[in-house]
Amino acid sequence: MEQTLIIFKPSAMQRGLVGHIIARFQQKGLVIAGIKMMQLDEKILREHYAHLVDKPFFPSILNSMTASPVIVMLLRGVDAINVVRLMTGATNGRQAAPGTIRGDFSMSNQENIIHASSSVEDAEAETHRFFKDDEIFDYTPFLTPFLNAASELG
Ligand code: ADP
């Protein structure tokens, strides 16, 4: 079963949106496999946003992502990476579809509420970037037979 990494960015923390967004993920049927609060620094952000370090707006991303502590969370579910990306919406909140998290809560390309892993490879790397093995929990929710058919669980 897939696992994906979410970061509640300072824009979510400061605006008090964390609980609401976690509720959306839980209502969808995704299971929390890990969750903690941390203060990001330049070192981890240069690694996490390696594809953006040469962009002129990278210093602004650094400021934005270090403006307050964040909450990092692992969500588990069938096709969790794609499901969470669909729920997250396009990068720019002004262009994200209504009904998505960014579409409903963001008016910005930068202050766009959450990060969500974009591929299996990224999810794997990001999981180990932010979580130690003993911070990740493997358990079977009692509701599992009502979330998926056995044939989907593999
Ligand atoms: P996504 O978060 O949708 O996967 P990217 O990996 O392209 O998108 O960008 C990472 C983050 O960098 C975005 O979520 C956003 O906060 C910020 N960002 C991307 N493009 C811009 C931009 N042109 N100006 C300001 N911030 C940006």
Side-chain angles (χ1 to χ4, degrees):
M1 198 174 289
E2 278 185 4
Q3 196 169 272
T4 189
L5 179 104
I6 313 300
I7 303 174
F8 290 93
K9 298 183 178 188
S11 49
M13 304 292 287
Q14 295 288 341
R15 291 177 54 197
L17 295 172
V18 175
H20 188 96
I21 295 168
I22 290 177
R24 280 192 182 205
F25 288 133
Q26 291 191 308
Q27 284 163 359
K28 178 70 174 167
L30 292 151
V31 172
I32 297 175
I35 188 164
K36 65 177 178 180
M37 192 162 172
M38 60 193 292
Q39 174 65 48
L40 301 182
D41 61 17
E42 181 167 347
K43 182 171 177 290
I44 200 166
L45 286 166
R46 282 187 167 275
E47 204 179 299
H48 184 66
Y49 285 135
H51 60 298
L52 298 175
V53 286
D54 296 327
K55 301 282 187 197
F57 53 82
F58 188 70
S60 179
I61 293 181
L62 274 183
N63 277 340
S64 166
M65 292 296 290
T66 56
S68 80
V70 301
I71 288 173
V72 291
M73 179 170 75
L74 294 172
L75 289 175
R76 194 174 291 142
V78 176
D79 296 337
I81 297 163
N82 190 48
V83 167
V84 170
R85 285 290 284 195
L86 288 172
M87 291 176 74
T88 299
T91 304
N92 187 334
R94 294 191 300 280
Q95 286 155 16
T100 64
I101 290 160
R102 288 168 173 171
D104 286 353
F105 299 122
S106 169
M107 281 289 283
S108 171
N109 202 14
Q110 176 180 281
E111 301 303 317
N112 58 6
I113 313 298
I114 64 167
H115 163 84
S117 305
S118 60
S119 66
V120 173
E121 296 73 31
D122 282 357
E124 178 74 13
E126 291 172 4
T127 294
H128 298 298
R129 181 170 302 137
F130 292 99
F131 284 88
K132 300 187 188 104
D133 286 349
D134 66 359
E135 294 172 331
I136 303 171
F137 298 87
D138 197 0
Y139 60 104
T140 303
F142 288 119
L143 283 175
T144 297
F146 301 97
L147 293 175
N148 286 105
S151 60
E152 293 173 307
L153 296 172

